[in-house]
Amino acid sequence: MTGNKAVAYKGPGKVELIDIDYPTFELKDGPGVNPANVGRQVRHGVILKTVATNICGSDQHMVRGRTTAPADLVLGHEITGEVVEVGPDVEFIKVGDICSVPFNIACGRCRNCKERKTGICLNVNPDRPGSAYGYVDMGGWVGGQANYVLVPYADWNLLKFPDKDQALEKIMDLAMLSDIFPTGYHGAVSAGVGVGSTVYIAGAGPVGLAAATSAQLLGAAVVIVGDMNTDRLARARGFGCETVDLSKGGPVEQIEQLIGVPEVDCAVDAVGFEAKGHGAGAQEAPATVLNSLMEVTAAGGALGIPGLYVTGDPGGVDEAARKGSLSLSLGTGWAKSLSFTTGQCPVMKYNRQLMMAILHDKVHIAQNVNAKAIALEDAPKGYAEFDAGAATKYVLNPNGYLS
Ligand SMILES: NC(=O)c1ccc[n+]([C@@H]2O[C@H](COP(=O)([O-])OP(=O)(O)OC[C@H]3O[C@@H](n4cnc5c(N)ncnc54)[C@H](O)[C@@H]3O)[C@@H](O)[C@H]2O)c1
Ligand SMILES: [Zn+2]
Ligand SMILES: [Zn+2]
């Protein structure tokens, strides 16, 4: 039997490489696995040899101990891989195909999937709508920061790259299709970005930079990115964005200095519930981004909110935050008739078109987010550096495909 090494969450601040079983077409019990999923037959699945598997800000919420993730949960929802085995019910995907895996697991059969709302599939997580690989409360599907991973409903879920050699040439860009590029794009689209829009994006992490890249693709007149991390802001300026440094105060005045008016047409929250307050030395204040986006968005505008919010947070700043309740100035948003789009990005809605933009050199997402390949063994170091705010998107290279 082939060995399978994987990155596991061990406890707050700690990830480690562990040995796990090579996947089979039947779900086994394990850390975080929903009991109702144990024994489930996955004849529609494939086994992938991992080509690239990225570390995400969403993983960091778990690794910082800010969720109820159990020890030994195998991490990894951003997966690109080569098919090495197909289940008996797989019709179209073949051994040897190199594919991007949307981080949402979706059945393709339920009413939400039929409406392309694959982030809230009803059939893959017994606890609630929506599922993902290697994530707490998402059904217990084993994560892909490993040599091998099982992907269910393969004909439906997988995006096959048209040409293997071309795919390997652009693999660092294509590796962003499993999550952050579609997620950033969804943030921009749901904020209503179009030709000539003025856009503010809170957060210059990989998702914020992907949203900024997407806003440019969509024709925005000006894209302003806010963060308190100066290296990440420099990254955003590197591909033509304006920036605001939130360690100097809130975004409104700085935006007015940049574009002459204190408001934008469209805004994106690429931060989520671990948001810090504005100003020098500000502490965590989870409603900061949502409240400032309502303030800065022009009446009639929209907020794209890919930033993650939780229903329980053991490390929350107060009792309300520990239950996922935030102190929102909803009246501001209501008075301005703002629209909000929250939730998991339905990756499948966008990944093919973004793949085409990459393959035809219309966008350089890997460069914009500073994607960097590291060995699977170096995952603990990658997690630590990313947590410390490195302006880098770490891509694990478990099987040596990435040069
Ligand atoms: N909806 C989805 O499908 C989806 C998919 C992927 C990631 N996410 C979420 O998107 C968020 C961003 O992901 P990431 O990988 O870029 O994470 P990240 O942690 O690398 O980036 C977050 C950035 O926000 C900055 N920040 C903190 N407070 C801020 C504030 N008040 N204003 C502006 N910036 C502030 C931080 O300095 C950091 O640079 C996370 O919450 C992640 O869980 C959601
Ligand atoms: Zn992710
Ligand atoms: Zn479904």
Side-chain angles (χ1 to χ4, degrees):
M1 177 165 287
T2 321
N4 195 12
K5 290 216 175 302
V7 180
Y9 169 66
K10 283 290 186 179
K14 204 161 171 215
V15 301
E16 256 175 35
L17 229 59
I18 63 168
D19 289 298
I20 60 168
D21 289 340
Y22 181 82
T24 61
F25 295 109
E26 178 183 317
L27 296 191
K28 305 261 168 50
D29 201 3
V33 175
N34 190 299
N37 257 351
V38 176
R40 186 166 174 170
Q41 299 300 304
V42 191
R43 298 165 57 88
H44 40 69
V46 302
I47 294 166
L48 291 184
K49 186 173 184 183
T50 312
V51 172
T53 175
N54 326 329
I55 298 175
C56 180
S58 298
D59 298 323
Q60 294 288 13
H61 302 307
M62 289 188 283
V63 172
R64 291 188 192 116
R66 297 298 296 270
T67 69
T68 51
D72 284 322
L73 182 115
V74 172
L75 299 165
H77 58 272
E78 301 194 6
I79 309 163
T80 311
E82 176 167 7
V83 178
V84 290
E85 269 190 71
V86 298
D89 289 349
V90 176
E91 240 186 307
F92 304 111
I93 291 288
K94 303 286 179 228
V95 168
D97 289 346
I98 297 194
C99 302
S100 178
V101 186
F103 78 86
N104 331 98
I105 303 172
C107 74
R109 293 144 163 84
C110 72
R111 80 181 257 202
N112 287 346
C113 282
K114 286 175 183 174
E115 292 174 5
R116 306 186 82 191
K117 298 173 185 163
T118 50
I120 41 170
C121 171
L122 299 172
N123 288 331
V124 280
N125 179 358
D127 280 340
R128 55 162 102 162
S131 181
Y133 306 84
Y135 215 85
V136 59
D137 294 334
M138 287 287 145
W141 300 84
V142 177
Q145 288 175 9
N147 296 110
Y148 297 93
V149 63
L150 172 73
V151 171
Y153 304 103
D155 283 323
W156 166 254
N157 280 307
L158 291 176
L159 174 71
K160 178 188 159 178
F161 300 140
D163 180 88
K164 212 166 165 170
D165 293 336
Q166 181 197 32
L168 290 173
E169 247 171 61
K170 295 190 183 287
I171 197 68
M172 294 299 277
D173 291 283
L174 296 170
M176 303 301 137
L177 292 172
S178 57
D179 183 348
I180 62 159
F181 196 12
T183 295
Y185 191 79
H186 178 59
V189 167
S190 56
V193 178
V195 173
S197 303
T198 57
V199 186
Y200 173 61
I201 294 163
V207 171
L209 296 176
T213 303
S214 302
Q216 291 178 338
L217 260 182
L218 289 162
V222 54
V223 180
I224 304 166
V225 180
D227 203 303
M228 41 287 283
N229 177 321
T230 49
D231 291 345
R232 289 180 168 193
L233 290 176
R235 223 44 257 163
R237 282 193 299 279
F239 61 94
C241 301
E242 301 288 348
T243 58
V244 297
D245 181 348
L246 300 168
S247 67
K248 297 186 176 143
V252 177
E253 298 76 20
Q254 298 189 63
I255 286 174
E256 184 168 21
Q257 281 164 18
L258 285 168
I259 59 173
V261 287
E263 54 184 25
V264 292
D265 302 320
C266 313
V268 178
D269 174 352
V271 182
F273 73 103
E274 291 190 70
K276 281 188 262 177
H278 299 145
Q283 298 298 303
E284 187 169 310
T288 303
V289 174
L290 293 172
N291 284 336
S292 67
L293 294 195
M294 286 191 271
E295 192 188 349
V296 82
T297 306
L303 274 56
I305 310 176
L308 188 145
Y309 291 86
V310 290
T311 51
D313 170 10
V317 287
D318 53 32
E319 207 189 319
R322 285 192 280 279
K323 291 190 211 129
S325 282
L326 310 183
S327 184
L328 290 183
S329 316
L330 196 61
T332 305
W334 195 94
K336 292 163 107 178
S337 296
L338 301 179
S339 325
F340 295 68
T341 303
T342 59
Q344 283 191 16
C345 162
V347 170
M348 211 183 281
K349 207 164 160 183
Y350 310 106
N351 61 358
R352 187 180 177 281
Q353 60 199 89
L354 295 175
M355 171 187 80
M356 294 305 283
I358 289 170
L359 293 178
H360 291 273
D361 282 323
K362 291 292 175 282
V363 65
H364 300 283
I365 183 68
Q367 188 183 313
N368 290 4
V369 301
N370 193 26
K372 178 181 169 191
I374 62 171
L376 189 69
E377 293 68 30
D378 291 333
K381 192 164 165 267
Y383 270 92
E385 289 177 10
F386 187 48
D387 187 44
T392 305
K393 174 73 176 174
Y394 291 93
V395 181
L396 302 175
N397 181 18
N399 292 303
Y401 285 89
L402 312 176
S403 50

Coordinates of all heavy atoms in Angstrom, one line a residue, residues 56-58 61 64 103 179 183 202-208 226-229 232 246 270-272 275-276 278 288-289 306-308 343-345 386, ligand 1:
C56 N -4.4 28.3 3.6 CA -5.4 29.4 3.5 C -5.6 30.1 4.8 O -5.5 29.5 5.9 CB -6.7 28.8 3.0 SG -8.1 29.9 2.8
G57 N -6.1 31.3 4.7 CA -6.5 32.1 5.9 C -7.6 31.3 6.7 O -7.7 31.4 7.9
S58 N -8.4 30.6 6.0 CA -9.4 29.8 6.6 C -8.8 28.7 7.5 O -9.4 28.4 8.6 CB -10.4 29.2 5.6 OG -11.0 30.2 4.8
H61 N -7.7 30.1 11.0 CA -8.7 30.2 12.0 C -8.7 29.0 12.9 O -8.8 29.1 14.1 CB -10.1 30.4 11.5 CG -10.3 31.6 10.6 ND1 -10.0 32.9 10.9 CD2 -10.9 31.7 9.3 CE1 -10.3 33.7 9.9 NE2 -10.8 33.0 9.0
R64 N -5.2 28.7 14.8 CA -5.1 29.6 15.9 C -5.9 29.2 17.1 O -6.0 29.9 18.1 CB -5.5 31.0 15.5 CG -4.5 31.7 14.5 CD -4.9 33.1 14.3 NE -4.2 33.7 13.2 CZ -4.8 34.1 12.1 NH1 -6.1 34.1 11.9 NH2 -4.0 34.6 11.1
F103 N -13.1 23.9 -3.5 CA -13.0 23.5 -2.0 C -14.4 23.1 -1.5 O -14.4 22.4 -0.5 CB -12.4 24.7 -1.2 CG -13.3 25.8 -0.9 CD1 -14.1 25.8 0.2 CD2 -13.3 26.9 -1.7 CE1 -15.0 26.8 0.5 CE2 -14.2 28.0 -1.4 CZ -15.0 27.9 -0.3
D179 N -9.7 27.8 -4.7 CA -10.4 28.7 -3.7 C -10.2 30.2 -3.9 O -11.1 30.9 -4.4 CB -9.9 28.3 -2.2 CG -10.6 29.1 -1.1 OD1 -11.2 30.1 -1.4 OD2 -10.4 28.7 0.1
T183 N -12.9 32.9 -5.0 CA -13.5 33.5 -3.9 C -13.3 35.1 -4.0 O -14.3 35.8 -3.7 CB -12.8 33.0 -2.6 OG1 -13.1 31.6 -2.5 CG2 -13.2 33.7 -1.3
A202 N -11.2 45.4 1.9 CA -10.6 45.3 3.3 C -9.9 44.0 3.3 O -10.5 43.0 3.1 CB -11.7 45.4 4.4
G203 N -8.6 44.1 3.6 CA -7.8 42.9 3.8 C -6.9 42.7 2.5 O -7.3 42.7 1.4
A204 N -5.6 42.6 2.8 CA -4.6 42.4 1.7 C -3.9 41.1 1.8 O -2.8 40.9 1.4 CB -3.6 43.5 1.7
G205 N -4.6 40.1 2.5 CA -4.2 38.7 2.4 C -4.4 38.2 1.1 O -4.9 38.9 0.1
P206 N -4.2 36.9 0.9 CA -4.4 36.3 -0.5 C -5.8 36.5 -1.0 O -6.0 36.8 -2.2 CB -4.1 34.8 -0.2 CG -3.1 34.8 0.9 CD -3.5 36.0 1.8
V207 N -6.8 36.4 -0.2 CA -8.2 36.6 -0.7 C -8.4 38.1 -1.1 O -9.0 38.3 -2.1 CB -9.2 36.1 0.4 CG1 -10.6 36.5 -0.1 CG2 -9.2 34.6 0.6
G208 N -7.9 39.0 -0.3 CA -8.1 40.4 -0.7 C -7.3 40.7 -1.9 O -7.9 41.4 -2.8
G226 N -7.2 48.0 1.7 CA -6.8 48.4 3.1 C -6.3 47.3 3.9 O -6.9 46.2 3.9
D227 N -5.3 47.5 4.7 CA -4.8 46.6 5.7 C -3.9 47.3 6.6 O -3.7 48.6 6.4 CB -4.0 45.5 4.9 CG -3.9 44.1 5.7 OD1 -3.4 44.2 6.9 OD2 -4.3 43.1 5.2
M228 N -3.4 46.7 7.7 CA -2.4 47.3 8.5 C -1.0 46.7 8.4 O -0.1 47.0 9.0 CB -2.8 47.4 10.0 CG -3.5 46.1 10.6 SD -5.2 45.9 10.0 CE -6.1 47.1 11.0
N229 N -1.0 45.7 7.4 CA 0.2 45.0 7.1 C 0.9 45.6 5.9 O 0.4 45.5 4.8 CB -0.1 43.5 6.8 CG 1.1 42.7 6.5 OD1 2.0 43.1 5.7 ND2 1.1 41.4 6.9
R232 N 2.0 43.5 2.8 CA 0.9 43.1 2.0 C 0.3 44.3 1.2 O 0.0 44.1 0.0 CB -0.2 42.4 2.9 CG 0.3 41.1 3.4 CD -0.7 40.4 4.3 NE -0.3 39.0 4.5 CZ -1.1 38.1 5.0 NH1 -2.4 38.4 5.4 NH2 -0.7 36.8 5.2
L246 N -4.4 51.0 7.5 CA -5.4 51.2 8.6 C -4.8 51.3 10.0 O -5.5 51.5 11.0 CB -6.4 50.0 8.5 CG -7.1 49.9 7.2 CD1 -7.8 48.6 7.0 CD2 -8.1 51.1 7.0
A270 N -12.5 41.0 2.9 CA -11.6 39.9 2.8 C -10.8 39.7 4.1 O -9.6 39.4 4.1 CB -10.7 40.1 1.6
V271 N -11.5 39.9 5.2 CA -10.9 39.8 6.5 C -11.6 38.7 7.4 O -11.0 37.7 7.8 CB -10.9 41.1 7.3 CG1 -10.2 41.0 8.6 CG2 -10.2 42.2 6.4
G272 N -12.9 39.0 7.7 CA -13.6 38.0 8.5 C -13.6 38.4 10.0 O -13.2 39.5 10.4
A275 N -11.0 40.3 12.6 CA -10.7 41.6 12.2 C -10.1 42.4 13.4 O -10.6 42.3 14.5 CB -11.9 42.4 11.7
K276 N -9.1 43.2 13.1 CA -8.6 44.2 14.1 C -9.3 45.5 13.9 O -9.7 45.9 12.8 CB -7.1 44.3 13.9 CG -6.3 43.2 14.5 CD -4.8 43.4 14.4 CE -4.2 42.8 13.2 NZ -2.9 42.9 12.9
H278 N -9.2 49.7 13.8 CA -8.4 50.7 13.1 C -7.6 51.6 14.0 O -8.0 51.8 15.1 CB -9.2 51.5 12.2 CG -10.0 50.7 11.1 ND1 -11.3 51.1 10.7 CD2 -9.7 49.6 10.5 CE1 -11.7 50.2 9.8 NE2 -10.7 49.3 9.7
T288 N -15.5 45.4 13.0 CA -14.8 46.6 12.4 C -15.0 46.6 10.9 O -15.4 47.7 10.4 CB -13.3 46.6 12.7 OG1 -13.1 46.5 14.1 CG2 -12.6 47.8 12.1
V289 N -14.7 45.5 10.2 CA -14.8 45.6 8.8 C -16.2 45.8 8.3 O -16.4 46.7 7.5 CB -14.1 44.3 8.2 CG1 -14.3 44.3 6.7 CG2 -12.6 44.3 8.5
P306 N -16.7 37.7 1.5 CA -16.1 36.3 1.6 C -15.4 36.1 2.9 O -15.3 34.9 3.4 CB -15.1 36.3 0.4 CG -14.8 37.7 0.1 CD -16.0 38.5 0.5
G307 N -15.0 37.2 3.6 CA -14.4 37.0 4.9 C -15.3 36.1 5.8 O -16.5 36.3 5.8
L308 N -14.7 35.2 6.6 CA -15.4 34.2 7.2 C -15.9 34.6 8.6 O -15.2 35.3 9.4 CB -14.5 33.0 7.4 CG -15.1 31.6 7.9 CD1 -14.3 30.5 7.1 CD2 -14.8 31.5 9.3
G343 N -21.1 34.1 2.9 CA -21.0 32.6 2.7 C -19.8 32.1 1.9 O -19.0 32.9 1.4
Q344 N -19.8 30.8 1.8 CA -18.7 30.2 1.0 C -18.9 30.6 -0.5 O -20.0 30.7 -1.0 CB -18.9 28.6 1.0 CG -18.5 27.9 2.2 CD -18.5 26.4 2.0 OE1 -18.5 25.9 0.8 NE2 -18.4 25.7 3.1
C345 N -17.8 30.8 -1.1 CA -17.9 31.1 -2.6 C -18.3 29.8 -3.3 O -17.7 28.8 -3.1 CB -16.5 31.5 -3.1 SG -16.3 31.4 -4.8
F386 N 3.0 32.4 7.6 CA 1.7 33.0 7.1 C 1.0 33.7 8.2 O 0.4 34.8 8.1 CB 0.9 31.9 6.4 CG -0.4 32.4 5.7 CD1 -0.3 33.5 4.9 CD2 -1.6 31.7 5.9 CE1 -1.5 33.9 4.2 CE2 -2.7 32.1 5.3 CZ -2.7 33.2 4.4
Ligands
LIG1 N1 -16.1 32.7 1.7 C1 -15.2 31.9 1.2 O1 -15.5 31.0 0.5 C2 -13.8 32.0 1.7 C3 -12.7 31.3 1.0 C4 -11.4 31.5 1.4 C5 -11.1 32.3 2.5 N2 -12.2 32.9 3.2 C6 -11.9 33.9 4.3 O2 -11.4 35.1 3.8 C7 -10.7 35.8 4.8 C8 -9.3 36.2 4.2 O3 -8.6 35.1 3.9 P1 -7.0 35.2 3.7 O4 -6.4 33.9 3.3 O5 -6.7 36.4 2.8 O6 -6.6 35.5 5.2 P2 -5.4 36.4 5.9 O7 -5.6 36.1 7.3 O8 -4.1 36.0 5.3 O9 -5.7 37.9 5.6 C9 -6.5 38.7 6.3 C10 -5.9 40.1 6.3 O10 -6.8 41.0 6.9 C11 -6.0 42.0 7.6 N3 -6.9 42.8 8.5 C12 -7.2 42.6 9.8 N4 -8.1 43.4 10.3 C13 -8.4 44.3 9.2 C14 -9.2 45.4 9.1 N5 -9.9 45.9 10.1 N6 -9.3 46.0 7.8 C15 -8.5 45.5 6.8 N7 -7.7 44.4 6.9 C16 -7.6 43.8 8.1 C17 -4.9 41.2 8.2 O11 -3.8 42.1 8.5 C18 -4.6 40.2 7.1 O12 -3.6 40.7 6.2 C19 -10.6 34.8 5.9 O13 -11.6 35.1 6.9 C20 -10.9 33.4 5.3 O14 -11.4 32.5 6.2 C21 -13.4 32.8 2.8

